[in-house]
Amino acid sequence: MRTLTATIGLVCALATSSIANAALSGCAKNLALRVTNIYENGDTEFHYDYCENIHDGRGYTSGIAGFCTGTSDAWVVLQEYHRMTGGKDEFSQYDAVMKKLDKSGSGSTTGLDGYCKTWEKLGKSDPKFRTAQEKVRDEMYFDPSQKLADSLDAQLDVTRAQIYDASIQHGIGEGYDSIGGLIKRTNESFKADASGSSGSTLKVNGHNVDEIVWLNKFLKVRMDDLKNPHNKETQKEWSGSVTRVKSYQYIVAQKQYRWDSSIKALDNDGKVAEVKCKI
Ligand SMILES: *[C@@H]1O[C@H](CO)[C@@H](O)[C@H](O)[C@H]1NC(C)=O
């Protein structure tokens, strides 16, 4: 990763929502991933076959989540792919070098001649390689973000998608600028019950807080952090990326709380764009 996924009757549906978390799945998950793609990759598509050295010190950046040879997540994808192919495939020739890079965390591309050609080819043509990328994206990035949403007991798609988007940019962790820091500061701002009309109430510090009231506060905390992060190295990059927070503020203002086949969000120019579920 460079910066740093049926109605069966009323009684049954009610019972489910009170005991289980409203995990993002199907089109709601597809939309969450696509909205974040706008801000990470410039469009809503999944670029399985992308591979490039963008000279950020992390080696080759590639695939649907910007997996890097210098940050170990590309190696996790290749290992997953090897498991699916039985171990001998077109990426095997890079295993020795990838293992070394995994240990050193180096952005060197020595010994990786043809790596991007192989990635592009298999990203276009091999369903197994695509599945391997999806699996690692979910395990390393999407699922951990949804665990955090579970810890809040968030029920609305918009909240769960926002926690994913913030996790991708801010990183999973407890530091001031990371998603844990943002959630902590949001939680701490509630000193009393805060009502609203979203239909979902969170328990925060013993207070009943409407989920959309919580989300609006979270978006404000995140916006403030993007403009003034503790890590000053990211300040320039982050101050230019406030559109993704404005986009979610727009989504909330339009009361798009539960997501179905499409939603309206803001693109990188701040223009309203329809994002459609395509599975
Ligand atoms: C925020 O509040 C929720 C609900 O009380 C809690 O489960 C979660 O751990 C809190 N998160 C942080 C980072 O403080």
Side-chain angles (χ1 to χ4, degrees):
M1 179 60 55
R2 222 168 60 72
T3 40
L4 68 145
T5 165
T7 317
I8 28 173
L10 188 61
V11 174
C12 188
L14 278 176
T16 308
S17 69
S18 66
I19 52 162
N21 289 294
L24 279 181
S25 61
C27 270
K29 175 176 175 181
N30 187 261
L31 288 171
L33 297 173
R34 285 182 188 280
V35 170
T36 293
N37 276 3
I38 298 175
Y39 316 117
E40 290 289 322
N41 311 316
D43 63 34
T44 58
E45 296 307 312
F46 300 110
H47 298 276
Y48 294 93
D49 60 344
Y50 168 77
C51 186
E52 200 181 349
N53 186 347
I54 55 173
H55 302 286
D56 60 354
R58 299 182 177 111
Y60 291 121
T61 297
S62 54
I64 55 171
F67 303 112
C68 297
T69 56
T71 62
S72 293
D73 53 0
W75 175 227
V76 179
V77 173
L78 298 193
Q79 287 171 285
E80 184 59 43
Y81 182 57
H82 290 333
R83 267 193 287 279
M84 300 170 91
T85 63
K88 270 266 162 276
D89 55 61
E90 288 176 66
F91 273 116
S92 304
Q93 59 180 310
Y94 303 111
D95 286 359
V97 175
M98 292 298 285
K99 263 185 216 163
K100 272 195 199 139
L101 293 176
D102 178 41
K103 287 223 167 66
S104 66
S106 157
S108 161
T109 56
T110 305
L112 294 178
D113 291 352
Y115 176 93
C116 270
K117 277 220 157 61
T118 307
W119 191 290
E120 285 160 9
K121 181 184 154 195
L122 297 178
K124 276 197 185 79
S125 63
D126 189 344
K128 277 187 187 149
F129 188 51
R130 292 174 163 230
T131 303
Q133 291 189 40
E134 288 165 2
K135 205 159 172 240
V136 175
R137 176 205 54 211
D138 285 353
E139 284 173 6
M140 293 188 79
Y141 304 112
F142 187 78
D143 296 348
S145 79
Q146 296 308 292
K147 274 220 173 95
L148 289 170
D150 286 348
S151 76
L152 291 159
D153 204 20
Q155 302 292 320
L156 304 175
D157 298 331
V158 64
T159 310
R160 303 187 70 96
Q162 168 56 208
I163 294 199
Y164 170 66
D165 187 72
S167 297
I168 289 296
Q169 185 176 25
H170 293 255
I172 301 275
E174 303 296 323
Y176 185 90
D177 297 325
S178 66
I179 182 79
L182 301 182
I183 293 178
K184 185 163 179 275
R185 294 204 291 290
T186 306
N187 278 357
E188 283 168 359
S189 74
F190 290 102
K191 315 266 188 226
D193 288 359
S195 62
S197 54
S198 74
S200 169
T201 304
L202 310 181
K203 265 259 179 278
V204 181
N205 302 326
H207 305 301
N208 293 319
V209 177
D210 179 81
E211 184 168 331
I212 291 296
V213 173
W214 187 94
L215 178 58
N216 276 324
K217 181 68 195 185
F218 177 84
L219 289 168
K220 193 177 174 306
V221 167
R222 184 178 173 198
M223 180 72 96
D224 291 345
D225 193 60
L226 288 180
K227 289 179 179 163
N228 191 19
H230 270 192
N231 179 358
K232 297 301 170 198
E233 275 170 41
T234 56
Q235 184 143 30
K236 202 153 167 262
E237 185 188 329
W238 277 14
S239 62
S241 69
V242 294
T243 312
R244 65 200 291 171
V245 177
K246 286 189 182 154
S247 177
Y248 269 87
Q249 288 171 331
Y250 171 83
I251 293 168
V252 171
Q254 299 288 311
K255 295 195 160 38
Q256 303 178 97
Y257 301 159
R258 294 185 193 274
W259 295 1
D260 192 5
S261 55
S262 74
I263 57 153
K264 288 203 173 77
L266 301 185
D267 65 17
N268 286 301
D269 298 324
K271 291 208 188 78
V272 177
E274 184 172 30
V275 182
K276 289 184 179 151
C277 169
K278 273 183 280 167
I279 295 181

